[in-house]
Amino acid sequence: MDRRSFLKTSALGGGAAAATTLAAPAYAQGNRTLTMVTTWPRGLAGVWDSVERVANNITAATDGQITVEPKAAGELVGALESFDAVVSGQADMYHGADYYWVGQHPAWAFFTAVPFGMTVPELMTWYYGQDGMALHHELGEVFGVRGFIAGQTGAQGGGWYRNEVKSADDFNGMKFRMPGLGGEALSKLGASVQVLPGGEIYQALSTGALDATEWIGPWSDEKLGLQEVCDFYYPAGFHEPGAALSAGMNLEVFNSLTPAQQKIVEIACADAHQANYAQFIANNGPALARLKQGGTQVKEFTPDVWDAFGKASVELLQGYTSDDLFAKIHKSAMDSMKSSSGWLSVSDSFYATQRDRVLAAM
C-alpha cells in the first residue's frame, strides 16, 4: 500500500494527516520540561544508559532551556504504548526500539534492524552518510513524529534456549520472544512468536510461557538473569546484526523548538548512539566469559538453520514491498548495504581475520 491508502486504513490516520500539514512553527520561549516515555525498565543495563545520555545531552547542551524527564516503562504508559503516547501528545518524546512499531508500519524496523540486514558500520553509513536519516524523517512525518537513532546494541545474540537447537525443525511450535520483522520471519519456521518488553522476559521464561528468547547480548542478558532459566546460548543471531535504538519527538513539539535546539536534539542522539555502541562492545566480552564459567553452554546454529533463517527473512521482506514507502526504504537500505559490504568484506573483515590468525600464532 502507499502512504495515502495506509493513512486511510490506519487508526492513527487522522492525527497523522494533520501532522503533515502544520503551520509554520512558532518557537516556544523560556525554559521547558519535556516528558520522555520509554520502552525500558528504569536502570536496565545499556538501554537505560542510552535514555539518560540523550536526556542529559539535551539538557546540558541547551544550558537547561530544555529539561528532558525520562519515564520508565509503566511509570506513565506501558512499554509498548510509548509510540502512541507521543503521537497523541500525551508525552513529548519516546526512547525505544523502532521495530516495536511495525504494527503501525513495517518500515519502522529498518531504524532498529531487519533480519539479514546491516551491521553497525553499514547502518551508520546508510543513516549518516546517505539517505537513511531522511527516510527516517519521511516515515515519521506520516505519524507526526521526528525520530533519530539514539543508541546501539551492536549485533544481538541468537538467543537463550531451554534445549539445544539441532535443526530448523526445532523451531516448530517453540514459544519464542522476538519482536520486529525477525520475529515474523521466525514464525515462518513454525515458532509461536511473542512480543514482550524486556521487563517481562524473565518471568515468562520462569513460568514456561516462553521456551526461548532473544534479548540483546551477554552483558544485558546476564543482568536480566537469563542464564538462570536457560542453559543454551547462541551468540550469533540473524535478526538484529546491528540494532539501533531511537528517540522520537512529537512533530509539533519538535517544530516548536528553535533551529539551534533542533540541531542539539539531533547531535545529542548521535552521541548517544556511538557511546552506547562502545558501552555494549566493552561489556559483552567479559560477560560472555562469566557466563561460560557459570556453566552456560555456548553454541552456534548449523548451516541448515542459517539457510532457513535466510529463506524466511528474504520472503518476509519481499512480501512487504507492495507498500510504496516500505519498498523505497527497503531498496535504499539494501543498495547501501551491498555497496558498503563490498568494501568492508575485503578490507576490515579480511584484516581482522588475518590479524587474529597471526597474533594467535605468536
Side-chain angles (χ1 to χ4, degrees):
M1 71 183 89
D2 61 21
R3 282 182 292 163
R4 185 176 293 106
S5 61
F6 176 75
L7 287 173
K8 289 179 180 178
T9 58
S10 170
L12 298 174
T20 62
T21 57
L22 296 172
Y27 300 123
Q29 303 298 313
N31 295 346
R32 307 174 66 180
T33 297
L34 302 182
T35 300
M36 176 194 278
V37 292
T38 73
T39 60
W40 322 116
R42 188 172 293 274
L44 198 61
V47 289
W48 188 260
D49 296 285
S50 181
V51 169
E52 291 186 329
R53 191 164 184 112
V54 171
N56 293 340
N57 280 349
I58 293 172
T59 300
T62 61
D63 284 332
Q65 290 180 337
I66 300 175
T67 299
V68 177
E69 183 178 333
K71 300 287 187 182
E75 291 182 0
L76 182 61
V77 298
L80 302 183
E81 299 168 356
S82 300
F83 182 84
D84 288 344
V86 171
V87 170
S88 68
Q90 183 181 1
D92 301 301
M93 302 176 64
Y94 70 77
H95 189 286
D98 274 354
Y99 69 2
Y100 285 137
W101 327 134
V102 294
Q104 306 287 354
H105 195 288
W108 282 113
F110 286 98
F111 305 101
T112 302
V114 297
F116 276 74
M118 292 182 279
T119 63
V120 177
E122 291 164 348
L123 175 66
M124 292 178 70
T125 299
W126 177 60
Y127 196 84
Y128 293 117
Q130 297 172 339
D131 55 357
M133 185 187 296
L135 290 169
H136 198 185
H137 295 171
E138 182 177 348
L139 177 61
E141 285 174 2
V142 176
F143 298 90
V145 171
R146 175 54 54 88
F148 299 96
I149 59 174
Q152 177 58 254
T153 70
Q156 296 205 4
W160 293 84
Y161 300 78
R162 297 185 184 279
N163 301 301
E164 185 177 356
V165 176
K166 297 181 179 179
S167 75
D169 292 339
D170 291 337
F171 287 96
N172 190 25
M174 186 184 295
K175 295 175 290 185
F176 200 108
R177 181 268 180 194
M178 183 183 284
L181 297 188
E184 294 186 30
L186 204 61
S187 69
K188 288 181 171 289
L189 303 185
S192 174
V193 176
Q194 301 180 38
V195 179
L196 297 176
E200 299 178 18
I201 295 174
Y202 183 93
Q203 180 68 16
L205 283 167
S206 298
T207 62
L210 289 176
D211 299 317
T213 187
E214 62 81 47
W215 175 228
I216 297 177
W219 174 49
S220 50
D221 295 10
E222 178 190 39
K223 295 289 188 182
L224 211 58
L226 300 184
Q227 72 280 7
E228 299 171 7
V229 285
C230 290
D231 293 330
F232 298 92
Y233 179 61
Y234 290 74
F238 77 100
H239 58 301
E240 296 178 51
L245 312 178
S246 290
M249 185 177 290
N250 178 284
L251 190 57
E252 290 188 9
V253 173
F254 184 81
N255 286 340
S256 74
L257 304 179
T258 68
Q261 291 169 342
Q262 291 174 355
K263 181 57 69 171
I264 283 171
V265 172
E266 176 184 334
I267 294 171
C269 291
D271 170 80
H273 181 268
Q274 67 176 8
N276 201 217
Y277 180 47
Q279 182 183 32
F280 273 104
I281 297 303
N283 283 285
N284 276 340
L288 182 61
R290 290 192 299 270
L291 291 169
K292 289 180 178 179
Q293 291 170 1
T296 295
Q297 298 187 52
V298 177
K299 301 289 184 177
E300 294 180 355
F301 296 121
T302 58
D304 75 293
V305 172
W306 279 103
D307 290 345
F309 288 157
K311 182 175 185 294
S313 298
V314 171
E315 287 179 355
L316 177 77
L317 293 172
Q318 288 296 327
Y320 280 117
T321 56
S322 59
D323 178 285
D324 290 346
L325 184 53
F326 184 95
K328 178 180 180 179
I329 296 173
H330 175 262
K331 184 178 187 307
S332 173
M334 294 301 105
D335 286 350
S336 175
M337 182 177 72
K338 182 178 179 180
S339 174
S340 297
S341 179
W343 166 247
L344 293 171
S345 63
V346 298
S347 56
D348 297 47
S349 297
F350 186 83
Y351 159 74
T353 299
Q354 296 304 315
R355 177 199 62 195
D356 294 346
R357 180 187 63 81
V358 171
L359 295 182
M362 293 184 177

